Amino acid sequence: MKSLPIQIKLTDNRKEKPNPETLIFGRNFTDHMFVADYDEGKGWHSHRIVPYAPVSLDPASIVFHYGQTVFEGLKAYKSPNGTVRLFRPEENMKRMNLSLDRLCMPRIDEDLALNALTQLIQIEKDWIPTVEGTSLYIRPFVIANEAFLGVSPAKKYQFYIILSPVGSYYKEGIHPVKILVENEFVRAVKGGTGGAKTAGNYAAGLKAQEVADQKGYAQVLWLDGVEKKYVEEVGSMNIFFKINGEVVTPAINGSILEGITRKSILHLLRHWNIPVAERQISMDEIRDAYDNGTLEEVFGTGTAAVISPVGELNWDGYKMVVNHNETGPLARQLFNTLTNIQTGNEEDPFGWILQLNNELAKLA
Amino acid sequence: MKSLPIQIKLTDNRKEKPNPETLIFGRNFTDHMFVADYDEGKGWHSHRIVPYAPVSLDPASIVFHYGQTVFEGLKAYKSPNGTVRLFRPEENMKRMNLSLDRLCMPRIDEDLALNALTQLIQIEKDWIPTVEGTSLYIRPFVIANEAFLGVSPAKKYQFYIILSPVGSYYKEGIHPVKILVENEFVRAVKGGTGGAKTAGNYAAGLKAQEVADQKGYAQVLWLDGVEKKYVEEVGSMNIFFKINGEVVTPAINGSILEGITRKSILHLLRHWNIPVAERQISMDEIRDAYDNGTLEEVFGTGTAAVISPVGELNWDGYKMVVNHNETGPLARQLFNTLTNIQTGNEEDPFGWILQLNNELAKLA
């Protein structure tokens, strides 16, 4: 990991830390943040760790009007022996660059960004909660801050990393949720921005979520935008189906986000010699599997929730209750293994964990 | 128009006004802006006109991460006799509410917003340039400013109106441009946000524009996201084809933005008894028309450029030169009529113009 000279200015006013037993996702932020500026011709510069503070932007900033912004999400955990652990952070930095490319935004140096992140977390390590199910959520993001009302890529950007101590994404923890298959609204389509982690994809999904909420469903299952036939994602997670002993997840096709939890689960399944397929999967096929009794488990995967079992799928009024609306054994096993590796309760045989203490020792 | 009690705080530091002969689009902003706040349960409040100043936002604000933002664009002109004229501003406020609905954001009161706009322009009327081709561009926009990293509609928003004295959108004025028909990237798809004026649509279009630039084309022609067969928009404008005496424009279908210039042009054409059709139009049909010599004119329409004639369409390497790469008579006539009505050089028989002086007299 490359070392980055970062200006550090610590706050004089430390905030009170929230009660780890009642943490809500995404509401509390730590005392400091990382910031860097980009100017065309000069590149990224002025890397700094500063007190967490409002962003000051010209009202004509491109991010407000033309949506040039990308983000990432990952988590840090404190292991039982006090070590700070990051889960596959290099994958997030790599994906961030793919997103930046798609949005015509300047790439970051992945190594330097990772180094900045470790320095920030070192400063904020007392903010990492240790109660079961909690972690420090990390949100790197880049916004276009040039003041210009023209539809073209900005010449000025800012890169931020902010940190938020979080509880479980779903207040209830791991338990099956009811999902509405979405036939009207579309999250993303081939040729669009669905494969990038950018704000517009999430904004596009809110309306369908609102309708699902009103009908008593926790999330929507997105279908492809062309034929409305093939499964894409669930809410803002990837989705897996266990059908007759085989685990199937939609193949990466340009409109699906390539989740890092998705990738890790595929790795675990293959490691366990469980049959796995990444391919197109239609709702017809899922209904057939349900009808003939081979739809064994369905679950969503993502950084925030890790694993989110699906207890019911409603497709145009046809209700499919999965595994008696209980968390299936595979979902449970994947959740336990992943979270145990993340938190340090189980060994990491895959080299997924970056131990902060080791990294900082290398820099010293 | 309803009257709105607005707190007004004027600046002590007036900026120097830019040279109207060399104005660039979207780079200069006036001395003041309008702002209002929204809080769930309380509604829109604290309407105010204040000195133009940076927006201060928590780094976790939803607009940065999940893209809840919508905007509008319209223009004010100063007529030869000094009257300030707005072109169909009520249409913009109406469309803004449709966009806000799609993005799960709170509606504004259209009348009150229009009133706020007229008060702001009255204060800034010396900023309206009068050189031919210039105007005062008006940018209303709403952003979600709740600090929350969760994918759900925000509970807090801000509504801004900023003003920018502008020259022509295209530096060269009205003249034909070369357009690349886009076969890979997609701007929007049925069920998505294409019909709303929201940042993500514009962000999605940047990559294709970059590729077109590199190939020497000014804009891309967007095809539908499902079959990549039917024409949708050109760049960030609506598009019209004159084929064998009839003017055809894609029908509003959910993925096309319903332009106010588009609507005005349809009205003018019908008023002139020129045959008009709003329907699906495929690239095959356009190529056939070109091949048999009936593709008479092609032009884009939008607030920024008003009319932008297309001189060449490149579809997968098949180059169609339209009207000898010259501005066609219909495009010219539409441009002249619209801009004359807008600027007050020609009478407005359609009730499209809101005269500021009249409106302010009504409020007095």
Side-chain angles (χ1 to χ4, degrees):
Chain A
M1 196 190 294
K2 277 186 258 180
S3 180
L4 177 66
I6 295 180
Q7 283 228 319
I8 296 176
K9 183 176 179 296
L10 298 183
T11 182
D12 296 325
N13 295 298
R14 306 254 167 186
K15 295 181 234 182
E16 206 183 317
K17 294 182 180 59
N19 179 352
E21 301 285 353
T22 55
L23 273 175
I24 293 172
F25 196 95
R27 289 274 178 205
N28 301 284
F29 300 92
T30 69
D31 290 314
H32 301 89
M33 61 184 183
F34 169 78
V35 193
D37 298 313
Y38 177 92
D39 289 88
E40 194 178 80
K42 194 173 173 185
W44 288 106
H45 63 90
S46 307
H47 303 82
R48 58 202 185 270
I49 289 170
V50 291
Y52 188 91
V55 178
S56 178
L57 288 175
D58 192 288
S61 291
I62 284 179
V63 63
F64 295 141
H65 306 274
Y66 306 124
Q68 269 191 304
T69 175
V70 308
F71 70 91
E72 275 299 327
L74 66 159
K75 286 176 172 174
Y77 303 84
K78 206 175 263 175
S79 74
N81 65 14
T83 314
V84 176
R85 300 162 69 87
L86 294 173
F87 183 71
R88 311 189 78 175
E90 68 288 351
E91 293 283 340
N92 293 90
M93 298 307 176
K94 207 163 91 183
R95 188 174 63 183
M96 192 155 190
N97 270 335
L98 297 179
S99 299
L100 289 167
D101 284 346
R102 179 63 183 85
L103 276 291
C104 300
M105 297 165 74
R107 285 184 157 245
I108 53 161
D109 183 311
E110 294 168 22
D111 264 7
L112 294 185
L114 209 45
N115 177 264
L117 173 59
T118 56
Q119 291 197 46
L120 178 63
I121 291 180
Q122 174 63 18
I123 290 168
E124 302 290 59
K125 64 180 184 297
D126 292 346
W127 278 91
I128 307 175
T130 53
V131 170
E132 194 184 331
T134 64
S135 60
L136 186 69
Y137 183 76
I138 300 161
R139 170 58 58 93
F141 65 103
V142 180
I143 55 175
N145 68 343
E146 189 188 10
F148 175 44
L149 296 184
V151 185
S152 62
K155 295 179 165 63
K156 287 164 67 74
Y157 298 87
Q158 283 194 308
F159 175 25
Y160 287 85
I161 304 176
I162 58 176
L163 307 175
S164 173
V166 297
S168 293
Y169 189 78
Y170 299 106
K171 276 171 239 160
E172 314 82 1
I174 182 172
H175 86 124
V177 292
K178 290 166 69 182
I179 301 291
L180 189 64
V181 181
E182 179 57 48
N183 285 313
E184 182 187 354
F185 296 108
V186 170
R187 175 190 167 272
V189 69
K190 193 162 181 303
T193 56
K197 215 160 165 70
T198 183
N201 298 335
Y202 297 83
L206 292 173
K207 194 73 186 176
Q209 176 64 44
E210 192 179 78
V211 175
D213 270 350
Q214 286 160 1
K215 292 183 179 168
Y217 287 82
Q219 300 272 340
V220 300
L221 183 69
W222 298 109
L223 302 184
D224 78 286
V226 173
E227 300 186 62
K228 302 244 178 86
K229 188 174 164 183
Y230 298 102
V231 171
E232 295 239 320
E233 300 192 14
V234 58
S236 50
M237 293 182 285
N238 294 118
I239 186 150
F240 287 74
F241 301 89
K242 183 159 177 262
I243 298 174
N244 204 18
E246 184 189 50
V247 182
V248 183
T249 192
I252 297 306
N253 61 359
S255 57
I256 293 172
L257 189 80
E258 189 166 4
I260 293 157
T261 309
R262 174 187 181 279
K263 188 184 265 192
S264 307
I265 280 170
L266 288 171
H267 193 97
L268 274 178
L269 292 169
R270 287 173 179 133
H271 183 73
W272 292 341
N273 291 316
I274 294 175
V276 167
E278 296 176 71
R279 61 170 170 85
Q280 272 197 328
I281 180 162
S282 69
M283 276 309 301
D284 286 330
E285 182 181 345
I286 289 160
R287 189 203 43 217
D288 290 348
Y290 176 75
D291 286 345
N292 67 31
T294 56
L295 183 63
E296 297 161 9
E297 292 192 37
V298 182
F299 50 88
T301 69
T303 293
V306 187
I307 301 278
S308 179
V310 173
E312 179 189 316
L313 279 172
N314 181 336
W315 187 33
D316 262 343
Y318 190 68
K319 294 184 183 181
M320 298 172 249
V321 175
V322 186
N323 193 45
H324 313 289
N325 198 23
E326 283 168 19
T327 299
L330 183 63
R332 176 78 63 193
Q333 189 186 355
L334 285 164
F335 180 82
N336 289 342
T337 303
L338 263 186
T339 54
N340 282 336
I341 290 174
Q342 288 168 337
T343 55
N345 285 314
E346 196 167 305
E347 206 153 327
D348 164 26
F350 309 113
W352 286 344
I353 298 297
L354 184 81
Q355 290 208 33
L356 202 62
N357 318 47
N358 294 353
E359 291 310 312
L360 292 167
K362 279 189 229 159
L363 299 178
Chain B
M1 197 190 290
K2 275 186 261 176
S3 178
L4 178 65
I6 295 180
Q7 284 228 318
I8 297 176
K9 183 176 179 293
L10 299 183
T11 181
D12 296 325
N13 296 298
R14 304 253 168 185
K15 295 180 233 180
E16 207 184 317
K17 293 181 180 62
N19 180 352
E21 302 286 352
T22 55
L23 274 174
I24 292 172
F25 196 96
R27 287 274 178 205
N28 301 284
F29 299 93
T30 68
D31 290 315
H32 301 89
M33 63 185 184
F34 169 78
V35 193
D37 298 314
Y38 178 93
D39 289 271
E40 195 178 80
K42 193 174 174 185
W44 288 107
H45 63 89
S46 308
H47 303 83
R48 57 202 186 269
I49 289 171
V50 291
Y52 188 92
V55 179
S56 176
L57 289 176
D58 193 288
S61 291
I62 284 179
V63 63
F64 296 141
H65 306 274
Y66 306 123
Q68 268 193 304
T69 175
V70 308
F71 70 92
E72 274 300 325
L74 66 159
K75 285 175 173 174
Y77 303 85
K78 206 177 263 176
S79 74
N81 65 13
T83 313
V84 176
R85 300 162 68 87
L86 294 173
F87 184 71
R88 310 188 81 177
E90 68 288 351
E91 292 285 338
N92 292 91
M93 297 308 174
K94 208 163 89 182
R95 188 173 63 184
M96 191 154 191
N97 269 335
L98 296 179
S99 299
L100 288 167
D101 283 347
R102 180 62 183 87
L103 276 291
C104 300
M105 298 166 73
R107 286 185 156 242
I108 54 160
D109 182 312
E110 294 167 23
D111 265 6
L112 294 185
L114 209 45
N115 178 263
L117 173 57
T118 56
Q119 292 197 47
L120 177 64
I121 292 181
Q122 174 63 17
I123 289 169
E124 302 290 59
K125 64 179 182 299
D126 292 346
W127 277 91
I128 308 175
T130 55
V131 170
E132 196 186 329
T134 64
S135 59
L136 186 71
Y137 183 77
I138 300 160
R139 172 57 59 93
F141 65 102
V142 180
I143 55 175
N145 68 342
E146 190 188 11
F148 175 44
L149 297 183
V151 184
S152 62
K155 295 179 166 61
K156 287 163 67 74
Y157 299 87
Q158 283 193 308
F159 175 24
Y160 287 86
I161 304 176
I162 58 175
L163 307 175
S164 173
V166 297
S168 293
Y169 190 77
Y170 298 107
K171 277 173 238 157
E172 315 81 2
I174 182 171
H175 87 122
V177 293
K178 291 167 68 182
I179 301 292
L180 190 65
V181 181
E182 179 58 48
N183 285 314
E184 182 187 355
F185 296 108
V186 171
R187 174 190 168 272
V189 70
K190 193 165 182 297
T193 56
K197 215 159 166 67
T198 184
N201 298 335
Y202 298 81
L206 292 173
K207 194 73 185 177
Q209 177 64 42
E210 191 179 80
V211 174
D213 270 351
Q214 285 160 3
K215 292 183 177 166
Y217 287 82
Q219 300 273 340
V220 299
L221 182 69
W222 298 109
L223 302 183
D224 78 285
V226 173
E227 299 186 62
K228 302 245 178 85
K229 187 174 165 186
Y230 298 102
V231 171
E232 297 241 317
E233 299 191 16
V234 57
S236 51
M237 291 181 287
N238 293 118
I239 187 151
F240 288 74
F241 300 89
K242 184 159 174 262
I243 299 174
N244 202 18
E246 185 190 48
V247 182
V248 183
T249 191
I252 298 305
N253 60 0
S255 58
I256 293 173
L257 188 78
E258 188 167 5
I260 292 157
T261 310
R262 174 187 180 279
K263 188 185 266 194
S264 307
I265 280 169
L266 288 171
H267 193 95
L268 274 179
L269 292 170
R270 287 175 179 133
H271 184 71
W272 293 338
N273 291 315
I274 294 174
V276 167
E278 297 177 71
R279 61 170 171 84
Q280 271 197 332
I281 180 162
S282 69
M283 276 310 299
D284 285 331
E285 182 182 344
I286 290 160
R287 190 202 46 218
D288 290 348
Y290 176 76
D291 286 346
N292 66 31
T294 56
L295 184 63
E296 296 160 11
E297 294 192 37
V298 182
F299 51 88
T301 70
T303 293
V306 187
I307 301 280
S308 180
V310 173
E312 181 189 316
L313 279 172
N314 181 335
W315 187 31
D316 261 343
Y318 189 67
K319 292 185 185 181
M320 298 171 250
V321 175
V322 186
N323 192 44
H324 313 292
N325 199 24
E326 285 168 16
T327 298
L330 183 64
R332 176 76 63 189
Q333 188 186 355
L334 286 165
F335 180 81
N336 289 343
T337 304
L338 264 186
T339 53
N340 281 337
I341 291 174
Q342 289 168 337
T343 55
N345 285 314
E346 196 168 305
E347 207 153 323
D348 163 28
F350 309 114
W352 286 344
I353 298 298
L354 184 81
Q355 291 208 33
L356 202 61
N357 317 48
N358 294 352
E359 291 311 312
L360 291 167
K362 277 189 231 159
L363 298 178

